[in-house]
Amino acid sequence: MGCGSSAPQPEAPPQTVNGGPSKDVNNNESRNIDNELERARQEEEGKIKMLLLGAGESGKSTIFKQMRLLYGTERSEEDLRMYGVVARSNVVVAVRKLCSHLRNLGLEEELDRESRENEDLEEGDHSSMTCRQAYDELMAYLVDNTATASAQDPTATSEGERKDWVGQSARAGLAANNDAKQFLRHHESIRILWQSNTIKQVWAKRSAVNIIDSHKEYLNDIPRLASRDYKPTTQDVLIARVRTTQVAMEKYRIDGIDFEMYDVGGQRSERRKWIDCFEAVTAVIFVAALSEYDQTLAEAKRTNRMVEALELFRSVCNNRAFQNTSIMLFLNKKDIFAEKILCSDIAAQRPFCDYAGPTKDFDHGVLYFIQKFKDCLIDDEFNDSFIHVTCATDTNNMEFVLDSTRTIIMTDNLKRSGFLGAD
C-alpha cells in the first residue's frame, strides 16, 4: 500500500487550572492591556492641546477657522450653505445698527439733502430709489417693523428663494435664516444706502454700536451676496460672525504630531464653560483685539473692551491651572487698528489717557498695548517671542504666525518636560 499523508493533529487546548484559563493566558492578556494603556498614555502625552481664550469678538473663532483652512479638511457644501446664510444675516445685523445709529446721530436731514442734491445733479445711483427712500424702507422692515405684509417686495417669492443656491440652513439657526430672507428682499435698498455719503459718516462712528469691522467687505459686495449662484468664498467664511456658545474642537496631524485646538465663547455668560477645557492644556493662545480700545462690551455697555481683555488676560496668566502651560498672546485686528487710530485717538479714551506717544502712530500704539498686557503678569518671564501682532482674516499672516507658534509651543513643552535644557 502506498504511504498516505497523515491527518493534522488538533492543537491541544490551553492548560487550565480548576476549569479556568491558564496563568499564562491571564498574564498575556494583562500585558496586552498594560501595553495598550502605555501606548495610549504616550499618545496623550505627545499630543499638543491648544486652547483659544479671550473676550467676545476678539477673533478666536477666525483663528480656529484658519487652522482648519491651513491644516484640516475642506468645507462641505452643507458648511458653505450655512456660512452663506450667516453672511447675509451679518449684513442685515450691520444695517440695522447703521440705520438706528444714523437716526440717533440726527443725520436724517443730511440724508434728505444728499438725496435732493443727487436728483438735481443726476448723480449717484441711477435707480428709481433715492438713498432716503432706501433708508425709509430698511427702517420700516428691519428696524421699526412698521411695514405691512402686503407691502413686501414682490421679487421675494418663495419660488425665487427656493432656487437660490444657499437656500436655508438649520445649522445657522432660525434668526439667521429669517435675516437672510430679509437680505434677499431688501438687498437693493441696502446697496443704495451703503453708497451714500451720509452712511459713510455713520460708519466712521461705528465703534459706538459695535459693528463688526470686517463686514465692510460684505457691504462692498452686495450684488455678489444677493446672486442666486452665490457660494461663499474662503474669505466670506473667515469673516462670517457666528457667536460661539459651545466648546468646539478640531484635531490635526502636522509633521507627525497630533494637535487639538479648542475654541470657546468669549462673552461673560460663556466663560463658566472654560474650566472644562483646562485639564492637560499644552498651550493657551490668548486673543485680544487691538482695535477695540474705543469700544464697550455688548453685554456691559460701560465696560471698555480693551480693559476687559486686560483683566481677563491677567486672570488667565496667573491661574494655577496654567502654571506649567505656555501662554501665547495674539494682539489681533492690526489692520483695523491701523485704520482706526487715524480718526480715534488712544489718549482720548479714559482708561488709556496715560498714552504719551504720537497720535495716529501704529508702532507706538502697538508697543503701548503690549506693555499694558505685560503689566498684567505677576512675574516678568514673558518672552517677546510669545507675542504676535496679527490679522486673523489674512491667511498668509496667520500661516506664518501659527507655524511660529507651533515651533515655540513644542520647544517650550520639551523644556518643561526636561528633554531640553533651559536657556
Side-chain angles (χ1 to χ4, degrees), residues 20 30 49 227 273 311 387:
S30 179
K49 181 178 178 181
S227 167
K273 302 174 186 176
E311 290 303 315
I387 303 172

Side-chain angles (χ1 to χ4, degrees), residues 49-54 278 281-287 312-330 373 376-377 379 381-388 405 408-409 412-413 416:
K49 181 178 178 181
M50 298 187 293
L51 178 60
L52 286 165
L53 295 180
F278 283 3
V281 171
T282 312
V284 169
I285 297 177
F286 189 93
V287 186
L312 196 53
F313 183 69
R314 186 194 311 276
S315 67
V316 167
C317 286
N318 302 318
N319 191 310
R320 290 182 180 179
F322 301 133
Q323 190 172 0
N324 296 310
T325 301
S326 303
I327 298 179
M328 317 290 294
L329 174 61
F330 282 14
F373 279 94
C376 294
L377 304 172
D379 60 60
E381 296 181 7
F382 196 77
N383 195 312
D384 284 347
S385 64
F386 284 44
I387 303 172
H388 292 280
T405 299
I408 292 168
I409 289 171
D412 199 47
N413 193 41
R416 294 175 188 274

Side-chain angles (χ1 to χ4, degrees), residues 18-20 22 37-38 53 73 108 120 126 132 192 223 237-238 240 286 290 303 312 321 354 369 372:
N18 296 328
S22 71
L37 290 173
E38 177 62 18
L53 295 180
T73 57
E108 289 180 329
D120 292 342
H126 294 286
R132 175 62 199 230
I192 292 170
V237 171
L238 287 173
F286 189 93
L290 276 170
T303 303
L312 196 53
D354 61 335
F369 285 114
K372 284 288 185 185

Side-chain angles (χ1 to χ4, degrees), residues 63 67 70-71 330 398-406:
I63 293 169
M67 277 290 288
L70 292 168
Y71 305 112
F330 282 14
M398 289 311 302
E399 183 174 15
F400 171 77
V401 169
L402 289 171
D403 189 57
S404 300
T405 299
R406 268 195 311 121

Side-chain angles (χ1 to χ4, degrees), residues 346-356 368:
I346 296 171
Q349 315 307 316
R350 183 176 298 177
F352 310 116
C353 60
D354 61 335
Y355 174 70
Y368 169 78

Side-chain angles (χ1 to χ4, degrees), residues 121-386:
L121 298 173
E122 295 185 352
E123 290 182 354
D125 194 280
H126 294 286
S127 69
S128 58
M129 183 183 292
T130 66
C131 54
R132 175 62 199 230
Q133 289 170 333
Y135 167 78
D136 287 341
E137 178 184 315
L138 296 172
M139 288 296 292
Y141 284 98
L142 303 184
V143 181
D144 295 332
N145 296 316
T146 55
T148 59
S150 60
Q152 289 286 2
D153 185 338
T155 62
T157 62
S158 58
E159 178 68 15
E161 291 175 2
R162 186 182 66 80
K163 290 182 178 179
D164 181 70
W165 186 88
V166 170
Q168 300 183 38
S169 169
R171 289 170 56 197
L174 180 61
N177 278 283
N178 288 339
D179 282 346
K181 289 181 181 178
Q182 293 282 44
F183 171 85
L184 291 176
R185 290 170 182 145
H186 305 292
H187 64 85
E188 183 63 10
S189 299
I190 294 171
R191 183 187 68 81
I192 292 170
L193 181 62
W194 178 245
Q195 289 181 337
S196 70
N197 293 323
T198 306
I199 208 68
K200 288 179 174 62
Q201 295 179 48
V202 181
W203 179 259
K205 300 176 181 179
R206 66 192 177 278
S207 60
V209 288
N210 290 329
I211 294 173
I212 305 294
D213 300 272
S214 60
H215 289 169
K216 183 178 181 180
E217 294 184 34
Y218 289 153
L219 289 163
N220 284 336
D221 214 358
I222 294 297
R224 181 176 65 87
L225 269 69
S227 167
R228 290 186 179 183
D229 299 325
Y230 169 59
K231 182 180 288 190
T233 64
T234 297
Q235 187 67 8
D236 291 340
V237 171
L238 287 173
I239 67 175
R241 168 63 181 161
V242 184
R243 178 172 170 174
T244 306
T245 57
Q246 296 179 336
V247 177
M249 187 269 283
E250 292 271 5
K251 295 183 178 181
Y252 308 98
R253 188 165 183 81
I254 309 169
D255 297 335
I257 297 174
D258 292 318
F259 287 80
E260 288 181 357
M261 178 173 271
Y262 292 78
D263 181 26
V264 295
Q267 282 76 14
R268 288 179 173 181
S269 60
E270 301 298 326
R271 293 174 198 168
R272 64 182 182 276
K273 302 174 186 176
W274 289 11
I275 191 67
D276 297 329
C277 305
F278 283 3
E279 186 178 355
V281 171
T282 312
V284 169
I285 297 177
F286 189 93
V287 186
L290 276 170
S291 61
E292 294 183 347
Y293 64 90
D294 63 348
Q295 293 177 243
T296 58
L297 294 179
E299 63 268 38
K301 298 295 185 184
R302 295 185 179 182
T303 303
N304 180 280
R305 287 193 176 205
M306 183 63 85
V307 170
E308 178 83 351
L310 287 163
E311 290 303 315
L312 196 53
F313 183 69
R314 186 194 311 276
S315 67
V316 167
C317 286
N318 302 318
N319 191 310
R320 290 182 180 179
F322 301 133
Q323 190 172 0
N324 296 310
T325 301
S326 303
I327 298 179
M328 317 290 294
L329 174 61
F330 282 14
L331 294 177
N332 193 34
K333 302 188 180 182
K334 65 177 183 178
D335 55 327
I336 300 168
F337 177 73
E339 175 189 329
K340 183 176 281 189
I341 58 172
L342 298 178
C343 56
S344 178
D345 186 11
I346 296 171
Q349 315 307 316
R350 183 176 298 177
F352 310 116
C353 60
D354 61 335
Y355 174 70
T359 59
K360 304 180 181 181
D361 190 290
F362 176 85
D363 292 334
H364 279 84
V366 169
L367 291 173
Y368 169 78
F369 285 114
I370 286 176
Q371 190 57 51
K372 284 288 185 185
F373 279 94
K374 285 184 173 182
D375 290 344
C376 294
L377 304 172
I378 291 177
D379 60 60
D380 295 329
E381 296 181 7
F382 196 77
N383 195 312
D384 284 347
S385 64
F386 284 44

